[in-house]
Amino acid sequence: MATYKWKNMAIICLGSFVGAMDLTIVNIALPRLSQAFRSEPTSVLWVQVAYLLVSTGLMFALGGLGDLVGRKRVYVLGLGVFSLGLGLCALAPNLGLLIVFRLVQAVGQAMEVSTSTAILTAAFPSQERGKAVGILSSVVAAGLGIGPAIGGSLLDVLDWPAVFYMRLPLAVAATGLAWGLLREEPGAVGRGPRAFDLPGAIALFLGLGSLLVWVNQGPRLGWTSLPSLALAAFTLLALGVFGAVERRAVRPVLELGLFRHRLFAFASVSLILYFAALPFFSFLAPFYFIQGVGFSSSQAGLWLAMFPISRVLLAAPSGWLSDRIGSRLPCSLGMVLVAIGLFFLGRLGPAPSPLGLALAMGTMALGSAAFGSPNTSAIMGSVPPDRLGTASALVATGRQVGQALGMAAAGSVFAYRQGVWLDRLPSGGGEAPAMVYSFADSLSLAAVVALV
């Protein structure tokens, strides 16, 4: 058992690394794709938006399916579908087919991510769950952090298809290792695919999908425009139907009764708020560094890399600590540190000192690591064994929904405050100061979200 749990860890970490890298490596290729396919940036953006919509919308359904038919089956098939999507994307002759092939990838990604944490935590005893989640969090952070660097290097040496086909050997290796070495862990014994809640899965997919489209397009359409209001109304309708279906389902996609468990409910809401606060920094910091402060792109990139690198180093010790003292203190202290880091990052002004930047970003990274692993461990530990797939899907879905909400809110708040400051500052010379002050205002709001 001791040997197997570490084999399990290695396989899950490899698959998660490949999947996490995909979330950031494609971003840097979007300008090249726009040139290659002679398409507008708003059209090319759907390479990522479509991927996010499908992967997020399917998380809960596929996590629940893993609980029913066996998590290994769903996980291995997901890695295989993801690998197929990588190969197809590299061969895409036009933008339309590239987006279609990204949807194939998204289905595979949803299958892999929705079951990975459940497979991992089931292999470790409860007293080591935080350590296991901490190591996995470090690997995911490494994948997210290294993606842009590898993608940029591949684009300099080769062309955009390399962003896809160069990762194919890793994905295929992860698929083969998972198929050969992971143990099959059936979900609810005695229940088969017929118990799967298809109506609930469809309603949730439509609800989450329309929510993300509304959040993504709201700033462009105008929050009070007819299309925006229609999307909001459809989101509420679909989620309302989902709630009604779940109350009658024999085996619901998301058992709403889980939220009666205080630890599960508060840890889940905290997860979404945490990931809603972070994009205020990650999305706005490049504008602050380059247009507000005057850093070069390489300088800004080095400072931005400090956050994921620090998380890689700190996530595993945080998980180990939560195994010994529980999740409440690390999570609460972590979010306070995130709030402090966000607040002081916004107060560094137009000429930040390297020491001030390092202290503020280090504080935020320390808080992020202190929160992340214990929070995931708390969610996974608060559900019965046959619902680990649902809990794993919740972690993945909460992360992506929080990020989508945070990015939309950050863009809207930043644009509004920038307009206010441009009106207040002298005309002609207030662009950079307005950028700095708007960044400060936005990060103050993010700090409030973290404290909540």
Side-chain angles (χ1 to χ4, degrees):
M1 180 65 181
T3 302
Y4 172 70
K5 70 181 181 183
W6 293 111
K7 287 181 181 177
N8 181 298
M9 167 71 76
I11 293 167
I12 295 299
C13 282
L14 177 59
S16 297
F17 179 80
V18 174
M21 195 192 306
D22 196 80
L23 295 174
T24 55
I25 196 172
V26 178
N27 282 341
I28 202 165
L30 293 179
R32 185 69 63 85
L33 292 172
S34 182
Q35 295 174 353
F37 295 124
R38 298 177 182 176
S39 299
E40 294 294 324
T42 51
S43 300
V44 172
L45 190 63
W46 278 94
V47 170
Q48 288 293 69
V49 173
Y51 181 90
L52 178 67
L53 290 176
V54 171
S55 60
T56 302
L58 291 177
M59 290 285 185
F60 275 118
L62 294 172
L65 185 63
D67 286 336
L68 283 171
V69 304
R71 296 169 195 131
K72 175 186 172 179
R73 296 177 189 176
V74 175
Y75 181 79
V76 174
L77 181 59
L79 285 174
V81 171
F82 182 85
S83 302
L84 174 64
L86 279 175
L88 291 173
C89 286
L91 299 173
N94 55 60
L95 182 61
L97 279 178
L98 177 60
I99 293 173
V100 170
F101 296 152
R102 283 288 282 170
L103 299 183
V104 174
Q105 253 195 293
V107 173
Q109 168 76 349
M111 297 175 79
E112 181 261 322
V113 171
S114 64
T115 52
S116 59
T117 307
I119 293 172
L120 180 67
T121 53
F124 280 77
S126 59
Q127 64 270 21
E128 294 182 358
R129 187 173 52 236
K131 176 174 68 176
V133 171
I135 294 172
L136 179 61
S137 297
S138 295
V139 171
V140 170
L144 293 171
I146 203 171
I150 291 179
S153 300
L154 289 174
L155 289 171
D156 285 342
V157 176
L158 301 167
D159 202 358
W160 69 264
V163 170
F164 297 100
Y165 69 70
M166 289 298 288
R167 292 178 289 135
L168 190 54
L170 269 182
V172 172
T175 306
L177 289 170
W179 180 75
L181 297 177
L182 287 181
R183 295 175 184 169
E184 184 62 86
E185 295 190 26
V189 178
R191 296 180 186 270
R194 290 183 182 178
F196 182 65
D197 177 22
L198 183 60
I202 294 173
L204 182 60
F205 176 80
L206 293 175
L208 288 177
S210 59
L211 172 65
L212 292 181
V213 172
W214 176 61
V215 168
N216 180 269
Q217 296 295 310
R220 184 183 68 83
L221 296 173
W223 294 109
T224 58
S225 68
L226 184 59
S228 183
L229 293 175
L231 278 170
F234 184 79
T235 298
L236 292 175
L237 176 63
L239 294 179
V241 170
F242 169 72
V245 169
E246 296 307 274
R247 283 192 289 271
R248 296 180 176 86
V250 175
R251 180 76 179 183
V253 170
L254 175 59
E255 192 171 326
L256 300 179
L258 291 173
F259 287 93
R260 298 192 189 102
H261 191 297
R262 179 175 175 178
L263 178 60
F264 181 86
F266 277 83
S268 301
V269 174
S270 298
L271 172 77
I272 294 172
L273 290 174
Y274 164 75
F275 280 106
L278 282 189
F280 280 81
F281 165 73
S282 58
F283 182 56
L284 299 179
F287 295 96
Y288 166 69
F289 283 139
I290 296 172
Q291 298 179 15
V293 175
F295 283 176
S296 66
S297 297
S298 58
Q299 283 178 298
L302 287 173
W303 280 110
L304 290 171
M306 179 179 174
F307 182 71
I309 290 172
S310 300
R311 284 204 63 205
V312 170
L313 299 175
L314 296 169
S318 170
W320 174 86
L321 181 64
S322 73
D323 286 334
R324 281 147 184 80
I325 66 173
S327 61
R328 177 176 293 179
L329 181 60
C331 286
S332 302
L333 178 61
M335 290 302 283
V336 169
L337 291 175
V338 168
I340 292 172
L342 286 167
F343 181 79
F344 282 104
L345 269 170
R347 295 297 178 277
L348 293 175
S353 69
L355 178 61
L357 266 176
L359 286 174
M361 292 185 68
T363 300
M364 190 170 68
L366 177 60
S368 177
F371 173 84
S373 302
N375 174 264
T376 301
S377 179
I379 293 174
M380 300 303 295
S382 64
V383 300
D386 69 328
R387 301 304 280 171
L388 282 175
T390 298
S392 177
L394 175 74
V395 172
T397 305
R399 177 173 62 242
Q400 293 191 193
V401 170
Q403 287 175 334
L405 292 171
M407 286 186 68
S412 297
V413 171
F414 184 72
Y416 170 71
R417 294 305 299 170
Q418 191 175 21
V420 171
W421 283 110
L422 285 172
D423 288 340
R424 293 181 183 178
L425 296 169
S427 59
E431 288 82 1
M435 188 79 64
V436 171
Y437 297 145
S438 304
F439 181 69
D441 294 342
S442 301
L443 262 60
S444 295
L445 177 59
V448 171
V449 173
L451 289 175
V452 169

